[in-house]
Amino acid sequence: MEPRIIEWDQGWNSIQEGIMNLKRRIAEGLPENQVNAPVYVDVYTTIYNMCIQKPPHGYAQQFYDKYQKTFEEHITSTVLPSLKAKHDEFLLHEFVKSWADHKVMLRWMSRAFSYLDRYFLTLRSLLGLNEVACKCYCDLVYQEVNAEVRVAALRLINKEQREGGEIDRALLKNVIDIFVEIGAGRVDAYEKDFEGYMLTDTRDYYSRKASRWILEDSYTSYMMKAEECLRRERDIVSHYLHPSSEKMLVTVKHGLLVVYANQLIGKKHSESGWGGGCLAVDSMEELSRKFIATVVLEQQAPAQCSTLYQQSEDAAMQE
């Protein structure tokens, strides 16, 4: 006995009901495991049966197209309008929520449509279901809002970094994690769309600070400020930036120390009567300057100070 043929309209209407059920639960913020299991089984079974039907009633290609279309329509009708209505920190919260919701929908949809991945796509040059869904989000959401998200995130960093204000570090870390996840674990998107701008902001900020401090402060006062800046930047990197952003510390050291090395050496000469050579290790410990002081000293006596520089740099990175 031949199995009953499921026509496209009949089957797709039933599947859409299951997808709408999922969307409602996501919108209500219900846990993923509360998606009705019988509904999921019905959707999976219907898709499977309609894919294995004999031509002209095999609908695998149509389901592949509908899978992508479902994500596109959901993003343009629901996700993007909600994001575009938010700004500043509210936008960051919505951005994080949209990515989390997208991953829930992706997991449910990819399991329900898994026949396509296992059989239909194996011999075809088409993107897998996960790649299709992620590409939809990247093209329609990330490319649309990442610039405004970046501005809002940098504003939060500035609030902590420059003003000493309290911020939601967990939120910021979640936002930055999305920049990395969008690149499928690579840091290309993070470096291009976020880190590069952050480094420019950081460089400009400390350039302005250093140009004033070098005129106003003594050597010791300047170095104390420089050390505090580096401590704060290390703290920021460790708490919510990607590990690759340790290069920000190099940017800060260059702006505060290398650029003004000659002036700092001159200040040190005039204040202590130092006549050249390396500061003794005891002096560095007394000033608590470790690798900061050695950056300056390298300009004066690189051969003598290279070993001391490396030792103090290693010590600082272990703190």
Side-chain angles (χ1 to χ4, degrees):
M1 179 178 177
E2 289 290 323
R4 180 178 63 88
I5 296 296
I6 306 174
E7 299 293 341
W8 173 257
D9 288 343
Q10 175 194 358
W12 180 243
N13 288 339
S14 173
I15 292 164
Q16 276 191 306
E17 289 180 13
I19 294 173
M20 290 303 297
N21 178 280
L22 170 68
K23 289 180 180 180
R24 282 194 298 271
R25 290 177 177 274
I26 290 176
E28 293 167 5
L30 295 176
E32 183 179 359
N33 58 14
Q34 289 191 20
V35 174
N36 195 305
V39 171
Y40 163 75
V41 171
D42 286 346
V43 170
Y44 172 84
T45 303
T46 302
I47 293 171
Y48 175 82
N49 288 335
M50 292 177 69
C51 284
I52 64 172
Q53 293 176 152
K54 294 179 181 179
H57 300 290
Y59 296 112
Q61 181 64 57
Q62 289 91 323
F63 278 125
Y64 182 78
D65 296 338
K66 281 293 187 181
Y67 177 88
Q68 177 172 337
K69 193 72 173 175
T70 297
F71 279 99
E72 291 173 345
E73 290 177 348
H74 177 64
I75 287 171
T76 55
S77 66
T78 304
V79 178
L80 271 180
S82 184
L83 282 165
K84 289 186 174 181
K86 306 292 194 308
H87 303 283
D88 300 321
E89 196 166 340
F90 297 103
L91 171 63
L92 299 183
H93 282 286
E94 189 65 26
F95 184 57
V96 170
K97 180 180 182 301
S98 75
W99 179 241
D101 289 349
H102 179 78
K103 290 192 288 186
V104 171
M105 187 169 172
L106 164 58
R107 285 192 292 269
W108 193 92
M109 290 279 289
S110 62
R111 290 197 295 263
F113 285 72
S114 60
Y115 173 85
L116 301 179
D117 261 343
R118 291 203 308 269
Y119 301 102
F120 177 68
L121 297 177
T122 54
L123 299 177
R124 293 168 174 80
S125 299
L126 296 171
L127 295 177
L129 298 182
N130 282 0
E131 294 171 291
V132 168
C134 289
K135 188 174 186 301
C136 286
Y137 188 92
C138 184
D139 292 348
L140 300 176
V141 178
Y142 178 79
Q143 296 299 339
E144 184 72 21
V145 304
N146 83 77
E148 190 174 353
V149 166
R150 178 186 67 244
V151 169
L154 290 177
R155 191 174 292 126
L156 272 190
I157 292 176
N158 290 341
K159 180 179 178 181
E160 179 179 46
Q161 186 183 55
R162 324 300 194 220
E163 303 167 20
E166 292 290 329
I167 65 168
D168 188 342
R169 285 183 165 187
L171 170 64
L172 203 49
K173 186 176 190 319
N174 288 335
V175 169
I176 288 166
D177 284 347
I178 296 173
F179 279 86
V180 177
E181 290 178 32
I182 284 292
R186 299 188 303 272
V187 294
D188 305 36
Y190 171 75
E191 290 179 341
K192 176 174 69 74
D193 297 328
F194 185 83
E195 187 184 64
Y197 293 89
M198 179 188 66
L199 292 176
T200 297
D201 277 5
T202 300
R203 183 192 64 223
D204 292 346
Y205 172 76
Y206 284 113
S207 176
R208 292 192 299 272
K209 285 287 188 182
S211 65
R212 189 172 75 248
W213 292 345
I214 198 66
L215 297 176
E216 300 173 352
D217 294 326
S218 67
Y219 171 82
T220 301
S221 176
Y222 185 101
M223 296 302 261
M224 289 178 67
K225 289 179 178 179
E227 183 183 35
E228 174 58 24
C229 291
L230 281 163
R231 183 204 61 77
R232 189 163 56 240
E233 297 303 325
R234 280 199 302 270
D235 192 47
I236 288 171
V237 171
S238 66
H239 277 89
Y240 50 76
L241 297 182
H242 188 270
S244 69
S245 290
E246 283 197 356
K247 62 175 72 76
M248 185 165 72
L249 302 180
V250 177
T251 298
V252 176
K253 284 193 285 186
H254 186 272
L256 291 176
L257 303 170
V258 177
V259 170
Y260 294 101
N262 290 333
Q263 291 96 314
L264 287 168
I265 291 169
K267 282 178 178 286
K268 183 62 184 174
H269 282 181
S270 63
E271 292 171 25
S272 65
W274 179 45
C278 283
L279 278 180
V281 174
D282 288 342
S283 298
M284 286 180 61
E285 291 175 351
E286 180 182 328
L287 290 172
S288 298
R289 298 300 160 255
K290 296 186 174 66
F291 67 96
I292 298 177
T294 60
V295 172
V296 178
L297 293 172
E298 280 270 289
Q299 310 301 313
Q300 179 72 11
Q304 293 173 291
C305 296
S306 59
T307 301
L308 179 58
Y309 175 84
Q310 185 59 55
Q311 291 172 347
S312 58
E313 180 86 343
D314 292 342
M317 296 305 290
Q318 290 170 7
E319 289 183 348

